[in-house]
PDB file of all heavy atoms in Angstrom:
ATOM      1  N   MET A 161       9.812 -20.614  -2.099  1.00  0.00           N
ATOM      2  CA  MET A 161      10.937 -21.261  -1.422  1.00  0.00           C
ATOM      3  C   MET A 161      10.605 -21.631   0.013  1.00  0.00           C
ATOM      4  O   MET A 161      11.150 -22.598   0.559  1.00  0.00           O
ATOM      5  CB  MET A 161      12.161 -20.349  -1.470  1.00  0.00           C
ATOM      6  CG  MET A 161      12.780 -20.202  -2.852  1.00  0.00           C
ATOM      7  SD  MET A 161      14.190 -19.041  -2.860  1.00  0.00           S
ATOM      8  CE  MET A 161      15.367 -19.902  -1.815  1.00  0.00           C
ATOM      9  N   ASN A 162       9.694 -20.852   0.640  1.00  0.00           N
ATOM     10  CA  ASN A 162       9.308 -21.151   2.022  1.00  0.00           C
ATOM     11  C   ASN A 162       8.694 -22.531   2.166  1.00  0.00           C
ATOM     12  O   ASN A 162       8.800 -23.162   3.223  1.00  0.00           O
ATOM     13  CB  ASN A 162       8.323 -20.094   2.533  1.00  0.00           C
ATOM     14  CG  ASN A 162       9.012 -18.815   2.947  1.00  0.00           C
ATOM     15  OD1 ASN A 162      10.177 -18.829   3.344  1.00  0.00           O
ATOM     16  ND2 ASN A 162       8.324 -17.687   2.854  1.00  0.00           N
ATOM     17  N   PHE A 163       8.020 -23.010   1.117  1.00  0.00           N
ATOM     18  CA  PHE A 163       7.425 -24.344   1.159  1.00  0.00           C
ATOM     19  C   PHE A 163       8.493 -25.436   1.245  1.00  0.00           C
ATOM     20  O   PHE A 163       8.209 -26.566   1.640  1.00  0.00           O
ATOM     21  CB  PHE A 163       6.548 -24.577  -0.067  1.00  0.00           C
ATOM     22  CG  PHE A 163       5.268 -23.782  -0.054  1.00  0.00           C
ATOM     23  CD1 PHE A 163       5.128 -22.650  -0.835  1.00  0.00           C
ATOM     24  CD2 PHE A 163       4.206 -24.159   0.756  1.00  0.00           C
ATOM     25  CE1 PHE A 163       3.955 -21.917  -0.830  1.00  0.00           C
ATOM     26  CE2 PHE A 163       3.026 -23.434   0.778  1.00  0.00           C
ATOM     27  CZ  PHE A 163       2.905 -22.305  -0.019  1.00  0.00           C
ATOM     28  N   PHE A 164       9.714 -25.103   0.858  1.00  0.00           N
ATOM     29  CA  PHE A 164      10.812 -26.077   0.881  1.00  0.00           C
ATOM     30  C   PHE A 164      11.816 -25.761   1.986  1.00  0.00           C
ATOM     31  O   PHE A 164      12.935 -26.262   1.985  1.00  0.00           O
ATOM     32  CB  PHE A 164      11.526 -26.095  -0.481  1.00  0.00           C
ATOM     33  CG  PHE A 164      10.618 -26.421  -1.637  1.00  0.00           C
ATOM     34  CD1 PHE A 164      10.036 -25.406  -2.384  1.00  0.00           C
ATOM     35  CD2 PHE A 164      10.324 -27.738  -1.954  1.00  0.00           C
ATOM     36  CE1 PHE A 164       9.194 -25.695  -3.444  1.00  0.00           C
ATOM     37  CE2 PHE A 164       9.479 -28.038  -3.006  1.00  0.00           C
ATOM     38  CZ  PHE A 164       8.907 -27.021  -3.756  1.00  0.00           C
ATOM     39  N   GLY A 165      11.378 -24.904   2.914  1.00  0.00           N
ATOM     40  CA  GLY A 165      12.234 -24.568   4.043  1.00  0.00           C
ATOM     41  C   GLY A 165      13.398 -23.669   3.708  1.00  0.00           C
ATOM     42  O   GLY A 165      14.400 -23.658   4.437  1.00  0.00           O
ATOM     43  N   MET A 166      13.289 -22.916   2.631  1.00  0.00           N
ATOM     44  CA  MET A 166      14.375 -22.022   2.214  1.00  0.00           C
ATOM     45  C   MET A 166      13.859 -20.596   2.081  1.00  0.00           C
ATOM     46  O   MET A 166      12.657 -20.358   2.079  1.00  0.00           O
ATOM     47  CB  MET A 166      14.964 -22.490   0.872  1.00  0.00           C
ATOM     48  CG  MET A 166      15.573 -23.880   0.916  1.00  0.00           C
ATOM     49  SD  MET A 166      16.285 -24.361  -0.680  1.00  0.00           S
ATOM     50  CE  MET A 166      14.792 -24.482  -1.686  1.00  0.00           C
ATOM     51  N   GLN A 167      14.799 -19.644   1.968  1.00  0.00           N
ATOM     52  CA  GLN A 167      14.458 -18.231   1.783  1.00  0.00           C
ATOM     53  C   GLN A 167      15.445 -17.587   0.825  1.00  0.00           C
ATOM     54  O   GLN A 167      16.567 -18.086   0.641  1.00  0.00           O
ATOM     55  CB  GLN A 167      14.492 -17.477   3.117  1.00  0.00           C
ATOM     56  CG  GLN A 167      13.393 -17.866   4.095  1.00  0.00           C
ATOM     57  CD  GLN A 167      13.460 -17.064   5.376  1.00  0.00           C
ATOM     58  OE1 GLN A 167      14.505 -16.501   5.714  1.00  0.00           O
ATOM     59  NE2 GLN A 167      12.358 -17.010   6.107  1.00  0.00           N
ATOM     60  N   VAL A 168      15.021 -16.505   0.209  1.00  0.00           N
ATOM     61  CA  VAL A 168      15.935 -15.723  -0.617  1.00  0.00           C
ATOM     62  C   VAL A 168      17.027 -15.157   0.287  1.00  0.00           C
ATOM     63  O   VAL A 168      16.720 -14.540   1.310  1.00  0.00           O
ATOM     64  CB  VAL A 168      15.196 -14.578  -1.345  1.00  0.00           C
ATOM     65  CG1 VAL A 168      16.203 -13.672  -2.066  1.00  0.00           C
ATOM     66  CG2 VAL A 168      14.178 -15.135  -2.327  1.00  0.00           C
ATOM     67  N   PRO A 169      18.303 -15.360  -0.051  1.00  0.00           N
ATOM     68  CA  PRO A 169      19.397 -14.883   0.807  1.00  0.00           C
ATOM     69  C   PRO A 169      19.311 -13.391   1.107  1.00  0.00           C
ATOM     70  O   PRO A 169      19.010 -12.589   0.225  1.00  0.00           O
ATOM     71  CB  PRO A 169      20.658 -15.202  -0.030  1.00  0.00           C
ATOM     72  CG  PRO A 169      20.234 -16.319  -0.927  1.00  0.00           C
ATOM     73  CD  PRO A 169      18.792 -16.069  -1.240  1.00  0.00           C
ATOM     74  N   TYR A 170      19.523 -13.041   2.373  1.00  0.00           N
ATOM     75  CA  TYR A 170      19.609 -11.670   2.880  1.00  0.00           C
ATOM     76  C   TYR A 170      18.270 -10.925   2.931  1.00  0.00           C
ATOM     77  O   TYR A 170      18.216  -9.829   3.487  1.00  0.00           O
ATOM     78  CB  TYR A 170      20.594 -10.831   2.050  1.00  0.00           C
ATOM     79  CG  TYR A 170      21.996 -11.392   2.008  1.00  0.00           C
ATOM     80  CD1 TYR A 170      22.517 -11.916   0.832  1.00  0.00           C
ATOM     81  CD2 TYR A 170      22.790 -11.393   3.148  1.00  0.00           C
ATOM     82  CE1 TYR A 170      23.807 -12.432   0.792  1.00  0.00           C
ATOM     83  CE2 TYR A 170      24.079 -11.911   3.118  1.00  0.00           C
ATOM     84  CZ  TYR A 170      24.575 -12.429   1.941  1.00  0.00           C
ATOM     85  OH  TYR A 170      25.838 -12.949   1.912  1.00  0.00           O
ATOM     86  N   LEU A 171      17.208 -11.485   2.360  1.00  0.00           N
ATOM     87  CA  LEU A 171      15.939 -10.758   2.319  1.00  0.00           C
ATOM     88  C   LEU A 171      15.415 -10.467   3.716  1.00  0.00           C
ATOM     89  O   LEU A 171      14.846  -9.393   3.966  1.00  0.00           O
ATOM     90  CB  LEU A 171      14.890 -11.550   1.521  1.00  0.00           C
ATOM     91  CG  LEU A 171      13.559 -10.843   1.268  1.00  0.00           C
ATOM     92  CD1 LEU A 171      13.771  -9.564   0.461  1.00  0.00           C
ATOM     93  CD2 LEU A 171      12.579 -11.769   0.534  1.00  0.00           C
ATOM     94  N   HIS A 172      15.605 -11.404   4.630  1.00  0.00           N
ATOM     95  CA  HIS A 172      15.127 -11.229   6.001  1.00  0.00           C
ATOM     96  C   HIS A 172      16.276 -11.043   6.989  1.00  0.00           C
ATOM     97  O   HIS A 172      16.053 -11.053   8.196  1.00  0.00           O
ATOM     98  CB  HIS A 172      14.286 -12.430   6.420  1.00  0.00           C
ATOM     99  CG  HIS A 172      13.089 -12.659   5.550  1.00  0.00           C
ATOM    100  ND1 HIS A 172      12.000 -11.829   5.556  1.00  0.00           N
ATOM    101  CD2 HIS A 172      12.829 -13.627   4.624  1.00  0.00           C
ATOM    102  CE1 HIS A 172      11.098 -12.274   4.688  1.00  0.00           C
ATOM    103  NE2 HIS A 172      11.582 -13.351   4.113  1.00  0.00           N
ATOM    104  N   SER A 173      17.465 -10.866   6.470  1.00  0.00           N
ATOM    105  CA  SER A 173      18.634 -10.703   7.326  1.00  0.00           C
ATOM    106  C   SER A 173      18.637  -9.339   8.004  1.00  0.00           C
ATOM    107  O   SER A 173      18.209  -8.333   7.429  1.00  0.00           O
ATOM    108  CB  SER A 173      19.913 -10.871   6.489  1.00  0.00           C
ATOM    109  OG  SER A 173      21.051 -10.471   7.222  1.00  0.00           O
ATOM    110  N   SER A 174      19.148  -9.303   9.239  1.00  0.00           N
ATOM    111  CA  SER A 174      19.253  -8.037   9.963  1.00  0.00           C
ATOM    112  C   SER A 174      20.665  -7.465   9.881  1.00  0.00           C
ATOM    113  O   SER A 174      20.992  -6.513  10.587  1.00  0.00           O
ATOM    114  CB  SER A 174      18.851  -8.236  11.431  1.00  0.00           C
ATOM    115  OG  SER A 174      19.685  -9.213  12.036  1.00  0.00           O
ATOM    116  N   GLY A 175      21.491  -8.046   9.009  1.00  0.00           N
ATOM    117  CA  GLY A 175      22.833  -7.522   8.801  1.00  0.00           C
ATOM    118  C   GLY A 175      22.813  -6.330   7.859  1.00  0.00           C
ATOM    119  O   GLY A 175      21.762  -5.909   7.378  1.00  0.00           O
ATOM    120  N   PRO A 176      23.981  -5.775   7.556  1.00  0.00           N
ATOM    121  CA  PRO A 176      24.062  -4.591   6.685  1.00  0.00           C
ATOM    122  C   PRO A 176      23.417  -4.801   5.318  1.00  0.00           C
ATOM    123  O   PRO A 176      22.734  -3.901   4.810  1.00  0.00           O
ATOM    124  CB  PRO A 176      25.570  -4.359   6.555  1.00  0.00           C
ATOM    125  CG  PRO A 176      26.154  -4.968   7.790  1.00  0.00           C
ATOM    126  CD  PRO A 176      25.297  -6.157   8.100  1.00  0.00           C
ATOM    127  N   ILE A 177      23.616  -5.973   4.715  1.00  0.00           N
ATOM    128  CA  ILE A 177      23.029  -6.222   3.394  1.00  0.00           C
ATOM    129  C   ILE A 177      21.512  -6.302   3.488  1.00  0.00           C
ATOM    130  O   ILE A 177      20.786  -5.727   2.668  1.00  0.00           O
ATOM    131  CB  ILE A 177      23.595  -7.527   2.784  1.00  0.00           C
ATOM    132  CG1 ILE A 177      25.105  -7.385   2.533  1.00  0.00           C
ATOM    133  CG2 ILE A 177      22.869  -7.859   1.473  1.00  0.00           C
ATOM    134  CD1 ILE A 177      25.755  -8.635   1.978  1.00  0.00           C
ATOM    135  N   GLY A 178      21.005  -6.992   4.505  1.00  0.00           N
ATOM    136  CA  GLY A 178      19.559  -7.115   4.694  1.00  0.00           C
ATOM    137  C   GLY A 178      18.907  -5.766   4.945  1.00  0.00           C
ATOM    138  O   GLY A 178      17.836  -5.465   4.406  1.00  0.00           O
ATOM    139  N   ILE A 179      19.558  -4.937   5.766  1.00  0.00           N
ATOM    140  CA  ILE A 179      19.034  -3.596   6.029  1.00  0.00           C
ATOM    141  C   ILE A 179      19.074  -2.748   4.761  1.00  0.00           C
ATOM    142  O   ILE A 179      18.144  -1.993   4.469  1.00  0.00           O
ATOM    143  CB  ILE A 179      19.830  -2.926   7.168  1.00  0.00           C
ATOM    144  CG1 ILE A 179      19.540  -3.640   8.494  1.00  0.00           C
ATOM    145  CG2 ILE A 179      19.479  -1.446   7.282  1.00  0.00           C
ATOM    146  CD1 ILE A 179      20.363  -3.143   9.663  1.00  0.00           C
TER     147      ILE A 179
END
Side-chain angles (χ1 to χ4, degrees):
M161 290 177 65
N162 281 332
F163 289 103
F164 302 95
M166 299 181 293
Q167 291 181 339
V168 173
Y170 302 111
L171 186 61
H172 301 289
S173 169
S174 59
I177 296 178
I179 291 175

